[in-house]
Amino acid sequence: MPVLIIDNENRPQLAQILADDGWVVACLCAAWCGSCREYQTNFTALAHRHPGARFVWIDIEDQADLMDDLDVDDFPTLLIQRGQVVTFLGPVELDLRLAERIFLAQHKKSAAELAADAHSTAERRHWQNNGNLVLRLQNAAAKKTH
């Protein structure tokens, strides 16, 4: 399955995947970032190896209303989420194997294990409040109506 490049028109598709308790692996990037452009090829290969998850590409500048207040210090940064639970949020090296190991480690956990992990540390609680794509999509939609 190809990588979904998030734009204003396909945000409802992303919201529906998460509402259906689906897995989303998001690469947070910027168009000007050479490392991100290099990583995109690897990210696409990873998406093809794991068709049960939806891989998305989010340019944090093009999608500023969605991602503006999220601290992204290094590129590429991965955000992995299943339904309402953010299971990983952090920078990764350009080596595809690292992203795949992170994803597979989360993917093998049960929903109960993921929920318990989500609140196990201050960092993971922060991910739930600040990185959660469901909340970010809702907040961006609310901003548009005001």
Side-chain angles (χ1 to χ4, degrees), residues 40 44 72 78 108 140:
Q40 192 168 17
T44 300
V72 176
L78 284 187
K108 71 180 183 178

Side-chain angles (χ1 to χ4, degrees), residues 29-42:
C29 60
W32 53 263
C33 174
S35 295
C36 292
R37 289 191 302 271
E38 181 181 333
Y39 191 72
Q40 192 168 17
T41 301
N42 291 340

